[in-house]
Amino acid sequence: MSSRKTASPFASIARNTLIVAAAFGLAAAAGLLRNIILGRQFGIGADLDAYYAAFKLPDLLFSIVAGGALATAFIPVFADFLAADDRAGAWRLASAVTNLVVLVVTALAVVAGLAAPWLVGRVIAPGFAPAAQAETAAVMRILLVSTVIFGVSAVQGSVLHSFKHFLLPALAPVVYPLGIVAGALWLGPLWGTRGLAVGAVIGALLHLAIKFPALLHYGFHWRPVLDLRTPAMRHVLWLLGPRLLDLGVFHVTLIMMTNLASRLGAGSVSALEWGWDAMQLPETLIGTAFGLVAFPTLAELAARGDLAGLRRTLSQSLRVVVALTVPAAVGLIVLGRPLLQLLYQRGAFDASSTEAVYVALRFYALGLVGHASLELVARAFFARQDTLTPLLLATASALVNIVLGLLLMGPLGFGGLALANSIAVTAEVLALTFVLRRRLTSAL
């Protein structure tokens, strides 16, 4: 009887992780198609540097205002309305949150658009030539439109998750890259990287539109309200705080890495971006999938006070994640170059492009186990309603990342920036694991 209970939570996690990972795999395939098209038409150079640098601030705004933190804060409150069979109240809350996100993101996007030349020249890519900085600012202004659309889409995705509907939200990341592919094929030859940015806006619209059938099925109703003084909205905003800071630290670190990479010559930003994307494929399929599926179980165990069960479930999940990511990391290091050649080396993406991306990938791969494990360990803290400890250690990790980047970019170039990231995230997850183990041991 005891062994059955011990195995049950993890068995459910493993089974559901396969489903989520399958959806992530489709999204990865769409992203791979996007990269093949971009690599063939633009190669690794100044054009894609401007395109990727232009994404940094829009991504930061989206993550801070309407990214993963929003789901953490919104879903529990929305679910309370559903549990009380108050559909009208649920849709009113969804409308209020959507309206607030649109207003806040639009206001920030307008300010960022007006300040784009200064932000690019002083913060994001000071090492770019003036013409490249001007192009980056122009592309950023177009991409800021997609940020507003993604804000709406994030709220609607959280609504569907509250109704236990996961299929269409899981397919949204699959259709988004297709918009960029369309922009690259039909608008890129005319408008260059600005065509890619328009394609990203189209992809964001697809990301939102694919959710409409399910929203209508569940009786979607929109109202022009904000309800800032209602208990429900105040509770959502209160829960947002710590997670917003955590995500903000992460994206500010990415901006700083782009800042440093922009000083290392044409192609450095793009090489880091592509190396990061390649490392993120196994990290997403393994670490993120396990983290998303395990979190509700960890939270349930923590709420019941079953810390032994939480520790056991986390330990089982971590062992599987490490067992899968260690060979994946070795595979990226050993087979990374031929895989990049097979997938991308055609058109403007020549042998030097392959070598540049492989340099970044090789160093990022050293942090794959850390990145994947962090998805689980951090959620164990969240399950115990502790968002402060992960925030403090994430801030320390960001400082280590930046300092190491400054030290290593001299001898290793942009590869040093990737290595700094791997060292910092590995130290962060080791510190989190040490703290969590001590707290769980003392509480048992």
Side-chain angles (χ1 to χ4, degrees):
M1 188 71 173
S2 175
S3 61
R4 184 184 304 174
K5 287 185 178 180
T6 299
S8 178
F10 177 72
S12 176
I13 289 171
R15 182 172 58 253
N16 289 319
T17 296
L18 291 176
I19 298 173
V20 174
F24 286 165
L26 288 175
L32 179 62
L33 173 63
R34 173 201 59 204
N35 286 349
I36 290 173
I37 299 298
L38 294 184
R40 186 185 67 185
Q41 294 198 202
F42 292 93
I44 296 296
D47 287 338
L48 278 189
D49 280 356
Y51 174 69
Y52 288 126
F55 260 107
K56 298 306 177 184
L57 186 62
D59 281 350
L60 173 62
L61 293 181
F62 169 73
S63 295
I64 289 179
V65 179
L70 180 64
T72 303
F74 171 78
I75 290 176
V77 183
F78 189 84
D80 286 341
F81 284 99
L82 296 182
D85 200 23
D86 185 1
R87 289 290 183 96
W91 287 120
R92 186 177 180 92
L93 175 65
S95 296
V97 172
T98 300
N99 297 338
L100 182 62
V101 166
V102 169
L103 290 175
V104 172
V105 176
T106 299
L108 293 175
V110 169
V111 172
L114 293 173
W118 181 87
L119 289 168
V120 172
R122 298 295 183 86
V123 180
I124 297 174
F128 283 3
Q133 289 182 353
E135 181 66 13
T136 301
V139 172
M140 181 191 297
R141 285 169 170 157
I142 300 172
L143 291 174
L144 287 167
V145 177
S146 70
T147 304
V148 179
I149 301 169
F150 273 126
V152 178
S153 187
V155 179
Q156 307 316 315
S158 296
V159 167
L160 293 180
H161 287 163
S162 299
F163 282 108
K164 303 297 189 293
H165 181 99
F166 299 99
L167 178 59
L168 293 185
L171 292 178
V174 179
V175 299
Y176 168 63
L178 301 182
I180 300 177
V181 169
L185 292 175
W186 292 298
L187 300 178
L190 299 174
W191 300 340
T193 51
R194 300 185 194 195
L196 295 181
V198 173
V201 174
I202 296 172
L205 289 170
L206 295 174
H207 192 279
L208 172 60
I210 196 172
K211 301 182 176 81
F212 283 170
L215 289 169
L216 294 174
H217 172 74
Y218 290 108
F220 170 76
H221 287 90
W222 175 81
R223 292 184 175 88
V225 296
L226 286 177
D227 293 341
L228 294 178
R229 296 185 178 182
T230 63
M233 274 296 288
R234 287 184 176 182
H235 192 36
V236 170
L237 296 175
W238 173 259
L239 293 174
L240 271 174
R243 288 291 291 134
L244 293 182
L245 292 175
D246 198 345
L247 288 171
V249 166
F250 173 74
H251 282 276
V252 166
T253 306
L254 292 182
I255 289 176
M256 289 302 299
M257 291 300 102
T258 300
N259 181 308
L260 297 178
S262 74
R263 306 167 190 267
L264 297 174
S268 297
V269 173
S270 298
L272 280 176
E273 191 74 26
W274 283 52
W276 174 263
D277 280 351
M279 184 276 292
Q280 282 286 291
L281 176 58
E283 193 277 333
T284 300
L285 294 176
I286 302 170
T288 304
F290 260 99
L292 287 174
V293 173
F295 180 53
T297 301
L298 297 177
E300 179 186 355
L301 293 169
R304 293 205 313 250
D306 186 1
L307 298 185
L310 186 151
R311 182 175 181 175
R312 182 171 55 249
T313 302
L314 176 63
S315 177
Q316 290 173 321
S317 300
L318 270 177
R319 281 200 293 269
V320 175
V321 166
V322 172
L324 293 174
T325 51
V326 167
V330 173
L332 289 177
I333 295 171
V334 175
L335 302 174
R337 184 186 283 111
L339 285 174
L340 291 170
Q341 289 172 338
L342 175 65
L343 294 173
Y344 300 130
Q345 193 167 308
R346 58 183 61 84
F349 197 105
D350 56 17
S352 63
S353 299
T354 297
E355 188 60 31
V357 174
Y358 176 63
V359 168
L361 173 59
R362 184 178 58 197
F363 286 116
Y364 275 134
L366 297 176
L368 174 59
V369 177
H371 279 289
S373 300
L374 184 61
E375 298 278 1
L376 274 168
V377 178
R379 282 177 169 85
F381 281 90
F382 301 152
R384 301 193 68 203
Q385 300 183 24
D386 177 7
T387 55
L388 181 59
T389 302
L391 171 61
L392 293 176
L393 287 176
T395 303
S397 175
L399 294 175
V400 171
N401 194 344
I402 293 170
V403 171
L404 286 178
L406 288 168
L407 294 174
L408 296 175
M409 64 186 284
L412 297 176
F414 59 81
L417 300 179
L419 178 59
N421 175 274
S422 294
I423 295 173
V425 74
T426 302
E428 179 184 358
V429 76
L430 288 175
L432 282 169
T433 303
F434 175 76
V435 172
L436 183 63
R437 178 178 295 176
R438 289 193 60 181
R439 291 183 181 177
L440 290 177
T441 301
S442 62
L444 290 174

